[in-house]
């Protein structure tokens, strides 16, 4: 059923949303509910929101589903009791974003807002909601199965480093009372679980569903690895040896990106964590079936028109695919969605665009035709059989795979068709663009010509004044550890951008993203970044300090002190002073930081860099310059832990 069957106007009836209250359930005439979902987010009935997707998918299979958004876990727990007992199971999720990233800055300071809550109000979900919600539900309904899903639990399915507690933790199933965990995209496993329970199986009998994780007895583990099973170092071994944790991660990352993976086992105390293999990528028919469900694409009426910041970002956008084969070292997309691209059909995309145009507040502008990486739609290997056997975590690093078909023609076709719709004034690309992918010269000159056309049309027609790209750093050694291309490629792209702007008399800006304190990055590398970006006439806006999040190469390097693939030491800034020492170079132009930068580079004997940043010398530095808030702007007491490798002097 296509989603354009909804009369998308202000008079949509409450029955078009999944029910959230007893009264809404009674209006439907239901005398039972099959599944009740608890989410850390507000309920937005949109295909970008996990709880809505899972609820709609189950509904399409004939199940009765209700949602309890952002339940109050502090009071008498009435939100957990109000809908009663479901026939099959409870589902719990932190929401569309990791709760710890949602709650805390890179400096472990509590955030004052929450984009997934009405009014941006903070404090409407606990830390680790799946753990908290599951515990409450098991106390209230001990015999009802609990299924946990979403990105937060997905990335914590095995032993992982927790940056906020600064410690290695076991699989989240060791702390969470859920009976089973779903990792990755949840449509197929959630239906498999519901069907099994509806068919009379107990939750304990559901052991082998792909993309699920269960806890079982350590005695159930295979004694030796075989063609179907991989045995990881135990959690206790990983706590004793960071090298074991690093070795585990390499295996886990490879497995998460395989077309047909294996079952992973990790002993944890007297239990075993069993991670069932991944599913192959969703077919176009399967992903269309998910996106074409009757979403209203609107927040639930319970919010009475209150602004939900995350919704404002997506209300006039359309997601065209899932997955990312970029494999950036600091990114979790492939760990959750996989590296293979699952694409919607053109027809499905156009149906959703049509629905957006019928929204009462639509003014003719699509804010984004994108995906995890905007320009990977329709891409795969020339020889798909090679892809199915490939163990590379990235198709672009250390150089683009010779089997990669980076033809942008399918993407251009959708852009052209959307822009020809009478309701559309302009479509923008708001998702991140991999300029290295579009610029890669493959062995087919026809494709290279198409890609040059893509870049020109992107810059000419689909930029809303500012094109955001992510070179991430300027130092090639750091970029290699990030699995990003050389900064020289950014120079080439900027030249193209400037030339096209000049050719068509456009006044657009190129806005680069950069990261400080990434593993391998030194203070000198950041000073060089400052010099490089000054020469390019950038006053940086889109910057961040590296935040270790579970299940990335960068995080494992940060924690272990070695790269998981080479097991060689990597310098990594750990304590807060080192991090702030790097971050200040983003703001070399700010009087608040000039004196600090001058003193630091003088101590490092890099007067050559000083001369390039401040060519007029010490007279250019304000005498009273000082960091904001007396240098305590980020105010977190740094961890006492240090890697042995971090005591080396920076060169």
């Amino acid at each position: 059923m296509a989603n354009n069957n909804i009369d998308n106007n202000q008079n949509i009836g409450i029955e078009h949303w999944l029910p959230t209250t007893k009264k809404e359930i009674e209006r439907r005439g239901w005398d039972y509910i099959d599944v009740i979902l608890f989410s850390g987010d507000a309920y937005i009935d949109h295909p970008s929101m996990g709880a809505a997707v899972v609820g709609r998918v189950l509904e399409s299979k004939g199940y009765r589903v209700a949602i309890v958004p952002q339940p109050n876990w502090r009071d008498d727990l009435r939100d957990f009791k109000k809908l009663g007992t479901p026939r099959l199971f409870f589902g719990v999720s932190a929401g569309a974003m990791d709760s710890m990233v949602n709650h805390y800055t890179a400096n472990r300071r509590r955030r004052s807002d929450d984009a997934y809550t009405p009014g941006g109000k903070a404090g409407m979900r606990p830390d680790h909601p799946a753990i908290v919600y599951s515990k409450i539900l098991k106390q209230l309904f001990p015999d009802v199965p609990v299924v946990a899903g979403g990105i937060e639990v997905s990335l914590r399915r095995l032993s992982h480093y927790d940056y906020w507690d600064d410690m290695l933790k076991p699989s989240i199933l060791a702390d969470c009372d859920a009976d089973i965990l779903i990792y990755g995209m949840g449509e197929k496993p959630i239906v498999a679980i519901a069907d099994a329970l509806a068919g009379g199986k107990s939750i304990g009998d559901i052991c082998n569903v792909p993309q699920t994780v269960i806890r079982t007895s350590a005695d159930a583990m295979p004694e030796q690895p075989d063609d179907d099973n991989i045995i990881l170092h135990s959690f206790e071994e990983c706590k004793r040896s960071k090298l074991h944790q690093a070795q585990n991660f390499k295996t886990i990352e490879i497995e998460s990106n395989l077309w047909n993976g294996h079952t992973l086992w990790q002993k944890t105390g007297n239990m075993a964590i069993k991670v069932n293999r991944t599913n192959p990528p969703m077919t176009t028919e399967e992903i269309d079936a998910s996106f074409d469900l009757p979403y209203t694409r609107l927040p639930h009426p319970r919010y009475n028109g209150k602004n939900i910041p995350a919704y404002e970002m997506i209300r006039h956008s359309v997601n065209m695919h899932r997955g990312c084969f970029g494999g950036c070292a600091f990114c979790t997309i492939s760990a959750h969605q996989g590296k293979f691209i699952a694409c919607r059909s053109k027809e499905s995309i156009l149906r959703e665009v049509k629905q957006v145009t019928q929204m009462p507040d639509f003014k003719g502008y699509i804010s984004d035709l994108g995906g995890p990486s905007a320009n990977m739609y329709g891409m795969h290997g020339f020889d798909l059989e090679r892809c199915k056997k490939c163990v590379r975590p990235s198709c672009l690093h250390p150089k683009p795979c010779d089997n990669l078909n980076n033809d942008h023609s399918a993407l251009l076709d959708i852009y052209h068709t959307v822009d020809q719709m009478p309701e559309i004034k302009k479509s923008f690309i708001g998702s991140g663009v991999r300029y290295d992918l579009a610029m890669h010269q493959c062995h087919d000159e026809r494709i290279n010509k198409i890609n040059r056309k893509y870049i020109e049309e992107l810059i000419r027609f689909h930029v809303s004044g500012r094109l955001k790209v992510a070179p991430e750093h300027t130092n090639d050694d750091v970029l290699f550890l990030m699995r990003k291309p050389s900064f020289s490629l950014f120079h080439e792209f900027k030249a193209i951008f400037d030339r096209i702007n000049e050719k068509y008399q456009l006044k657009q800006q190129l806005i680069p993203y950069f990261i400080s304190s990434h593993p391998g990055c030194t203070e000198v590398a950041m000073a060089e970044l400052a010099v490089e970006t000054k020469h390019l006439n950038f006053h940086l806006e889109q910057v961040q300090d590296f935040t270790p999040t579970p299940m990335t190469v960068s995080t494992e390097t940060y924690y272990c002190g070695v790269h998981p693939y080479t097991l060689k030491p990597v310098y990594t800034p750990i304590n807060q002073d080192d991090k702030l020492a790097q971050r200040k170079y983003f703001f070399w132009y700010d009087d608040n930081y000039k004196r600090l930068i001058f003193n630091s580079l003088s101590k490092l004997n890099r007067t050559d860099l000083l001369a390039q940043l401040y060519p007029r010398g010490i007279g250019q530095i304000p005498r009273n310059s000082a960091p904001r808030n007396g240098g305590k702007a980020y105010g977190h007491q740094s961890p006492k832990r240090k890697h042995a490798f971090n005591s080396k002097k920076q060169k």
Side-chain angles (χ1 to χ4, degrees):
M1 178 168 52
N3 60 9
N4 62 356
N5 67 336
I6 295 293
D7 179 15
N8 202 326
N9 58 51
Q10 294 171 321
N11 298 315
I12 298 176
I14 190 70
E15 67 275 7
H16 286 297
W17 280 266
L18 298 172
T20 66
T21 65
K22 198 78 170 176
K23 187 175 181 180
E24 291 171 37
I25 291 168
E26 289 170 354
R27 288 183 63 174
R28 291 189 173 215
W30 291 358
D31 55 357
Y32 67 89
I33 309 170
D34 291 307
V35 178
I36 303 174
L37 304 175
F38 288 83
S39 172
D41 290 341
Y43 172 31
I44 302 170
D45 191 40
H46 191 283
S48 293
M49 298 297 171
V53 173
V54 166
R56 290 296 189 184
V57 167
L58 287 170
E59 179 189 53
S60 73
K61 301 300 181 182
Y63 295 108
R64 297 178 176 181
V65 184
I67 293 182
V68 181
Q70 299 189 315
N72 190 336
W73 74 100
R74 297 186 180 102
D75 61 3
D76 60 2
L77 308 181
R78 67 187 67 182
D79 284 347
F80 293 88
K81 305 172 189 174
K82 66 181 182 180
L83 300 185
T85 306
R87 185 174 71 95
L88 298 179
F89 64 86
F90 291 110
V92 297
S93 171
M97 185 176 180
D98 189 300
S99 70
M100 304 308 284
V101 178
N102 179 287
H103 284 170
Y104 301 96
T105 69
N107 298 285
R108 298 181 175 89
R109 290 177 65 88
R110 190 85 183 190
R111 298 186 192 274
S112 59
D113 57 3
D114 183 339
Y116 293 85
T117 299
K121 183 180 179 181
M124 296 300 289
R125 80 186 81 213
D127 290 352
H128 301 305
I131 294 177
V132 175
Y133 297 168
S134 297
K135 182 177 181 180
I136 292 170
L137 290 169
K138 280 298 185 182
Q139 288 173 345
L140 296 174
F141 308 95
D143 298 325
V144 180
V146 175
V147 180
I151 192 166
E152 182 166 282
V153 298
S154 179
L155 300 180
R156 291 166 172 78
R157 54 191 185 256
L158 290 159
S159 62
H160 59 279
Y161 171 66
D162 185 289
Y163 173 67
W164 297 273
D165 286 340
D166 190 30
M167 63 186 293
L168 190 73
K169 290 188 174 181
S171 164
I172 195 168
L173 271 185
D175 299 314
C176 178
D177 288 342
D179 297 283
I180 191 168
L181 180 158
I182 291 173
Y183 69 93
M185 299 292 95
E187 289 101 327
K188 294 171 80 170
I190 198 73
V191 170
I193 292 169
D195 287 349
L197 292 172
K201 282 191 175 183
S202 69
I203 191 70
D205 294 331
I206 303 173
C207 303
N208 300 309
V209 174
Q211 285 183 214
T212 63
V213 186
I214 63 167
R215 68 173 81 78
T216 186
S217 166
D219 295 336
M221 283 182 60
E223 293 185 4
Q224 298 293 332
D226 54 37
D227 291 343
D228 298 317
N229 297 279
I230 293 175
I231 301 175
L232 301 169
H233 295 295
S234 71
F235 171 64
E236 288 72 23
E237 289 173 327
C238 291
K239 284 190 71 175
R240 289 192 295 269
S241 168
K242 292 179 180 179
L243 287 178
H244 284 156
Q245 175 63 17
Q247 290 168 337
N248 270 8
F249 175 79
K250 178 182 176 182
T251 300
I252 294 165
E253 184 182 46
I254 289 172
E255 286 295 318
S256 70
N257 286 315
L258 288 180
W259 189 282
N260 292 297
H262 303 81
T263 298
L264 303 180
W265 296 83
Q266 185 177 39
K267 187 174 183 295
T268 302
N270 60 0
M271 74 174 82
I273 302 298
K274 180 190 180 189
V275 180
N276 289 304
R277 65 171 179 81
T278 58
N279 278 305
M282 294 177 75
T283 65
T284 294
E285 292 74 22
E286 288 171 336
I287 199 168
D288 277 0
S290 178
F291 275 88
D292 285 350
L293 294 170
Y295 304 96
T296 65
R297 300 188 94 259
L298 298 169
H300 190 277
R302 65 189 283 141
Y303 304 118
N304 295 319
K306 290 182 180 177
N307 176 66
I308 303 175
Y311 174 64
E312 298 307 313
M313 295 288 291
I314 62 169
R315 66 187 306 154
H316 297 145
S317 70
V318 176
N319 183 18
M320 302 196 299
H321 67 273
R322 292 180 183 164
C324 178
F325 52 72
C328 295
F330 46 81
C331 181
T332 60
I333 291 172
S334 66
H336 185 62
Q337 295 191 12
K339 73 176 182 181
F340 295 104
I341 307 301
C343 294
R344 299 171 65 183
S345 68
K346 178 181 177 181
E347 293 73 22
S348 174
I349 293 167
L350 294 178
R351 282 194 291 268
E352 188 175 358
V353 171
K354 185 69 175 179
Q355 188 183 9
V356 173
T357 67
Q358 295 172 350
M359 296 176 70
D361 62 343
F362 183 70
K363 306 298 183 185
Y365 300 97
I366 298 291
S367 62
D368 187 24
L369 286 172
S373 287
N375 57 321
M376 290 185 180
Y377 178 82
M379 293 186 190
H380 48 74
F382 288 105
D383 179 357
L384 199 56
E385 292 306 309
R386 277 182 61 185
C387 294
K388 292 179 179 180
K389 300 172 184 175
C390 180
V391 298
R392 282 180 56 167
S394 170
C395 302
L396 296 175
H397 178 87
K399 62 180 181 179
C401 177
D402 62 5
N403 188 43
L404 176 61
N405 182 351
N406 65 330
D407 186 344
H408 284 65
S409 58
L411 201 52
L412 279 174
D413 179 49
I414 290 174
Y415 292 177
H416 294 163
T417 306
V418 170
D419 289 346
Q420 288 167 6
M421 295 173 67
E423 304 92 340
I424 303 294
K425 295 178 182 177
K426 199 164 188 178
S427 61
F428 297 115
I429 310 306
S431 305
V433 174
R434 289 297 299 246
Y435 57 84
D436 54 332
L437 176 61
M439 294 170 67
H440 170 57
Q441 299 291 300
C442 78
H443 50 72
D444 188 335
E445 182 52 33
R446 180 191 63 84
I447 292 176
N448 295 334
K449 184 177 180 180
I450 289 168
N451 294 349
R452 288 192 292 271
K453 182 180 180 183
Y454 168 81
I455 293 172
E456 179 160 330
E457 291 198 13
L458 169 73
I459 296 169
R460 186 180 177 189
F461 300 122
H462 301 286
V463 175
S464 58
R466 312 173 93 201
L467 177 60
K468 296 178 181 179
V469 295
E472 308 294 6
H473 214 283
T474 60
N475 181 283
D476 281 355
D477 292 336
V478 178
L479 287 166
F480 188 85
L481 289 169
M482 290 179 165
R483 293 180 179 161
K484 297 289 284 187
S486 169
F487 194 66
S488 62
L489 201 64
F490 175 79
H491 281 282
E492 294 178 31
F493 182 74
K494 184 178 184 301
I496 296 170
F497 183 85
D498 292 342
R499 176 178 56 77
I500 292 172
N501 272 272
E502 182 178 1
K503 178 179 178 181
Y504 296 104
Q505 297 181 327
L506 303 172
K507 296 182 179 179
Q508 300 179 145
Q509 290 180 288
L510 192 61
I511 307 297
Y513 284 74
F514 290 101
I515 295 176
S516 61
S517 302
H518 188 274
C521 183
T522 65
E523 187 174 345
V524 168
M526 287 302 299
E528 292 170 342
L529 182 150
V531 169
E532 184 86 38
T533 54
K534 179 187 178 183
H535 290 333
L536 290 167
N537 199 30
F538 286 129
H539 281 199
L540 301 180
E541 305 171 17
Q542 303 292 335
V543 299
Q544 68 179 79
D545 189 21
F546 169 64
T547 304
T549 52
M551 220 165 168
T552 71
V553 181
S554 301
T555 296
E556 298 301 325
T557 305
Y558 175 98
Y559 170 69
C560 299
V562 299
H563 194 282
Y565 281 74
T566 66
L567 301 184
K568 293 181 178 179
V570 176
Y571 168 79
T572 304
I574 295 292
N575 67 61
Q576 208 64 10
D577 290 341
D578 289 343
K579 286 172 166 284
L580 293 177
Q582 293 202 13
R583 197 175 192 278
K584 66 178 181 281
Y585 290 99
F586 285 140
F587 311 108
W588 59 268
Y589 53 85
D590 188 327
D591 286 349
N592 289 294
Y593 293 97
K594 288 178 179 178
R595 175 65 60 177
L596 285 175
I597 290 172
F598 183 89
N599 292 340
S600 293
L601 288 179
S602 296
K603 289 179 182 178
L604 291 167
N605 296 317
R606 293 306 303 263
T607 54
D608 58 321
L609 297 175
L610 266 178
Q612 294 181 74
L613 285 175
Y614 310 116
R616 295 194 313 233
I618 189 68
Q620 190 177 345
I621 313 296
R623 287 184 176 276
N624 61 347
S625 71
R628 294 180 178 90
N629 299 328
K632 301 184 185 295
Y634 310 104
H636 171 71
Q637 185 175 359
S638 59
K640 296 179 180 178
R641 172 181 55 84
K642 276 191 176 183
H643 296 319
F645 314 114
N646 292 338
S647 61
K648 297 179 180 179
K649 290 185 178 179
Q650 298 177 24
K651 297 182 180 179

